[in-house]
Amino acid sequence: MSARLPVRVLRVSDARKTSSDVLEGIRRTAPPQHCGWCGRRLEQQEVTKGRRRRYCGQSCRQRAYERRAAVQRSGLPEDSVVLSDSELSALQDKLFQLRCAAEDVVTAADDGATADELRRMAQELAHSARDLEQLR
């Protein structure tokens, strides 16, 4: 038994269209982008040609350039992260808060909390996670 391959039938009018004409009506939605320096969410732009924005502004672009230049001079790997003691302590505190909030939601669900109470706790958990996203 031979396998049948899918066949696409084109109308004569479709044959003259280029791939960009065919895709023109399809709206692409990209996942939300964040600034490469400060972590703020970048505004969703209409689908345009060219590169997507990486930074929210010129100052963040400049700071990122300065960091890349400093990393190159220091000899550290480019993907390394250098934190001061106070920054590390603050990060650990935020991670602890996030873990505690998640454990609170699990405990409340096990204890039979109402849907409204669970929703409120989940919102607090999401808020803690959003704060943690902003590492810089």
Side-chain angles (χ1 to χ4, degrees), residues 28-127:
R28 294 185 305 173
T29 56
Q33 299 292 320
H34 297 276
C35 176
W37 179 252
C38 68
R40 271 186 266 171
R41 179 176 270 178
L42 297 176
E43 299 171 7
Q44 291 287 1
Q45 297 177 346
E46 293 297 319
V47 178
T48 59
K49 295 182 180 179
R51 296 182 185 170
R52 290 189 178 122
R53 291 179 57 186
R54 291 181 60 195
Y55 305 102
C56 60
Q58 182 60 34
S59 61
C60 286
R61 180 180 304 191
Q62 180 66 28
R63 298 298 161 262
Y65 167 77
E66 290 170 356
R67 180 182 176 276
R68 286 192 307 272
V71 165
Q72 287 176 347
R73 285 191 305 269
S74 69
L76 291 172
E78 190 169 324
D79 61 347
S80 63
V81 177
V82 179
L83 297 174
S84 68
D85 287 338
S86 62
E87 290 171 326
L88 179 61
S89 177
L91 177 61
Q92 289 172 331
D93 287 345
K94 287 181 180 182
L95 285 170
F96 178 74
Q97 289 172 355
L98 183 65
R99 183 176 60 88
C100 288
E103 288 174 353
D104 288 346
V105 171
V106 170
T107 302
D110 290 342
D111 291 345
T114 65
D116 289 337
E117 187 177 358
L118 288 173
R119 184 176 297 111
R120 181 187 56 77
M121 294 175 85
Q123 286 172 341
E124 290 176 13
L125 178 62
H127 179 72

